[in-house]
Amino acid sequence: MGTRPSTRTDHDVEVPMRDGTVLRAVVTRPLVDEPVPVVLLRSPYPLADARFEVDLLGLAERGLALVMVSLRGTGASDGVFYPWRDDERDGVDTIAWCAAQEWADGRVATLGRSYVAQTQLYAAGGAPPALRAMVTGVVPSDPWALTYTGGALNLGSAMGWAVGMAGVPLARRAEAGEDVSRLQQEWGALAGGLPAGFATTPLTDVPVLDELFPAWRDWLDHPQLDEYWQQHALPDRPAIPTFVVAGWHDVFRDLSLREFAREPRHPGSRLVVGPWSHGAAGRSLGAVDHGASAPGYAIGLDAQLLDFLAAHLASDDVPVPDAPVQVFVTGANVWTQHATWPPPADEVELHLHPGSLAAGPAPAGTPPSRYVFDPRDPVPTLGGNTLLPQGEGAGMCGSVDQRPLDGRADVLRFVGEPLTAPLRIIGTVRLTLHAATSAADTDWTAKLVDVHPDGTALNLVDGVLRASRRDPAHPELLTPDEPHELVVELGAVGHELVVGHRLRLDVSSSNFPRFDRNPGTGAPPATVAEADVVVAHQQVLHDAAHPSRLSLPVVPA
């Protein structure tokens, strides 16, 4: 790394697109004699905020220029913003513009988190010849998968983001001199009323979002994997060196991991998974202090990312790391290195018995476990890989003590025996569930919990399946009271349960407002008013003929 050169920053630099739309950028580049590589960040958010996520000093020391571009319809850029619609085409054009500047050497890399990471994947799908590498943090991946999980709407994150993004056209219309007083009042009431606004029924009854952010209604009108989602799906892309940063408690955790493993994968790609959420890569989250080695700065994460970009911008022959996967194991609070994601693991099955988990199935004739689910009184979200407006400090994200939910009769708990040896789980956890409901449709939620000897019960990972969407492209309602074999994917985890702790599985039918409520009527949930919901009588079967079971990827501790 050299000394820091002087830099020049230009604002409102015009970046023309092929259709004539003009985007605008902030360009910071070293004042040196030779052309330099470019790091590109494309964002729908204020570029002034994006600067705080980029190490400008580190870029300059490595001789790299930074181009930050507002997506069309945002910031100072022309056009209209609609999620995903223009991200591939505009990305290809913007990369070509960067490479063609007289001060640039023709080599471009991309950088960014969240939606800014997703824009990189779209641009890469256009195979721009100048693109050499990408750094993607907490990346949402495919639009369908980030909006619906297991067929259930990711209500908290999707509606929260829609409300926030609706403020962009509102501000632009006000700046253009329109009378937006009514819209400002309605939008302000909605934004200020979250999380209470999550309980709106029907969810389609939010007129201010229809007017300011029509994508919200489109998402609700397409609750299955249909042509709308196919039109906006991520394109295939060539193998490009990519550094993926993920967090165990990030709402896009599994999507980030999917993008790292996506084929074709460049052998020079890298993955870091920390005990983090969608925000800062810090030490503590929820109820847990993960120790001094947990923060991103403890492993020099920022330097790793910039060194990765600089290396691939300097050469097409960068050495391939032997262990490109770096994973933090919570519980043990250690970093581990792996050659692949997921790492090799033994699949261990624990079968559900009434109130317990055991190595083998329950005997024939074991009665099912039952509960009643009322959509008007859903199980509240308590921790998890969430992105909710209440923020991380409100017990809504990370591992949080689950004992406040102990009094609920609509949560089934299956508890293992105290461990006599450490149990380290790294990979995706799944639940095969034999279940029946009296309703035409229902959700099944599953949550893995680490129970401490003092009774503290910390959630590790959880998932949901909307039964009618078990095949997301071909929805099918249920036959009431008929058992179905279903697979609930809880998602990926890296955790070690220590001696004396117990593993617990919680099963229910809601996790609100992380997910929307299933009204049980069989109609699209977003169209159902609260007065029309159906109380569901639920059965979880666990006998020799119906072996409900938990599958755990276990690695040596």
Side-chain angles (χ1 to χ4, degrees), residues 44 50 82 114 149 237 249 431 433 441 468 556:
Y82 188 96
S114 195
T149 294
R237 60 180 184 270
H249 299 291
L431 171 65
L433 192 68
D441 191 17
S468 65

Side-chain angles (χ1 to χ4, degrees), residues 21-352:
T21 301
V22 175
L23 310 187
R24 290 177 175 83
V26 175
V27 178
T28 300
R29 56 187 177 87
L31 292 177
V32 293
D33 294 333
E34 66 277 4
V36 296
V38 177
V39 175
L40 170 65
L41 181 152
R42 299 190 302 130
S43 177
Y45 310 122
L47 296 185
D49 295 342
R51 291 177 69 91
F52 293 108
E53 295 194 7
V54 179
D55 182 356
L56 294 176
L57 174 60
L59 287 171
E61 289 175 339
R62 291 165 176 80
L64 306 177
L66 174 65
V67 176
M68 298 190 297
V69 180
S70 291
L71 299 181
R72 64 170 64 206
T74 71
S77 293
D78 298 341
V80 176
F81 176 74
Y82 188 96
W84 318 304
R85 183 177 59 196
D86 303 296
D87 287 338
E88 179 180 353
R89 178 185 59 185
D90 286 358
V92 170
D93 290 355
T94 304
I95 290 172
W97 180 90
C98 290
Q101 299 309 294
E102 62 180 3
W103 45 262
D105 72 356
R107 301 170 71 89
V108 179
T110 55
L111 169 72
R113 306 172 68 254
S114 195
Y115 193 97
V116 183
Q118 194 179 35
T119 66
Q120 301 177 57
L121 305 183
Y122 279 98
L131 182 61
R132 295 298 191 271
M134 303 186 291
V135 167
T136 64
V138 292
V139 58
S141 184
D142 194 71
W144 160 257
L146 75 90
T147 310
Y148 287 88
T149 294
L153 175 68
N154 289 313
L155 176 63
S157 58
M159 188 176 189
W161 192 70
V163 171
M165 292 305 297
V168 174
L170 178 61
R172 291 167 73 93
R173 289 167 66 168
E175 292 169 1
E178 291 187 38
D179 180 3
V180 294
S181 54
R182 174 187 61 83
L183 287 171
Q184 284 178 329
Q185 184 177 7
E186 293 179 7
W187 179 80
L190 178 61
L194 295 178
F198 294 140
T200 300
T201 62
L203 280 171
T204 52
D205 188 21
V206 188
V208 69
L209 287 184
D210 290 344
E211 186 165 352
L212 292 175
F213 194 74
W216 168 248
R217 176 60 73 92
D218 291 338
W219 301 344
L220 299 183
D221 288 345
H222 297 275
Q224 65 192 67
L225 185 56
D226 60 14
E227 68 283 349
Y228 170 83
W229 298 106
Q230 293 162 3
Q231 289 169 3
H232 293 94
L234 280 176
D236 293 334
R237 60 180 184 270
I240 297 171
T242 305
F243 198 131
V244 178
V245 180
W248 288 131
H249 299 291
D250 174 47
V251 65
F252 303 134
R253 173 199 61 220
D254 296 312
L255 305 183
S256 297
L257 297 173
R258 177 190 303 177
E259 288 309 315
F260 174 76
R262 183 167 173 159
E263 296 293 347
R265 185 176 73 83
H266 192 281
S269 294
R270 296 182 59 188
L271 171 68
V272 170
V273 191
W276 312 315
S277 67
H278 200 68
R283 167 175 176 160
S284 299
L285 185 65
V288 180
D289 180 345
H290 295 291
S293 65
Y297 64 76
I299 59 170
L301 182 59
D302 286 348
Q304 287 190 51
L305 301 179
L306 293 183
D307 288 345
F308 177 86
L309 291 177
H312 286 282
L313 285 168
S315 172
D316 293 327
D317 189 24
V318 177
V320 174
D322 293 330
V325 177
Q326 193 172 4
V327 168
F328 189 88
V329 180
T330 58
N333 292 345
V334 296
W335 288 97
T336 59
Q337 305 283 339
H338 306 277
T340 62
W341 176 264
D346 293 326
E347 182 175 313
V348 174
E349 290 190 342
L350 296 176
H351 287 253
L352 278 60

Side-chain angles (χ1 to χ4, degrees), residues 397-471:
C397 186
S399 290
V400 177
D401 196 348
Q402 301 296 300
R403 283 180 290 184
L405 303 179
D406 280 355
R408 296 194 65 102
D410 55 355
V411 179
L412 300 178
R413 297 169 181 84
F414 303 89
V415 189
E417 293 296 323
L419 293 173
T420 59
L423 178 67
R424 181 172 290 188
I425 307 167
I426 302 180
T428 297
V429 178
R430 293 179 176 85
L431 171 65
T432 300
L433 192 68
H434 293 262
T437 178
S438 63
D441 191 17
T442 197
D443 291 352
W444 298 101
T445 64
K447 182 185 299 182
L448 197 65
V449 179
D450 181 348
V451 181
H452 296 218
D454 66 358
T456 301
L458 298 178
N459 56 294
L460 302 177
V461 65
D462 62 82
V464 64
L465 178 68
R466 181 149 293 167
S468 65
R469 301 293 190 272
R470 51 201 183 275
D471 179 347

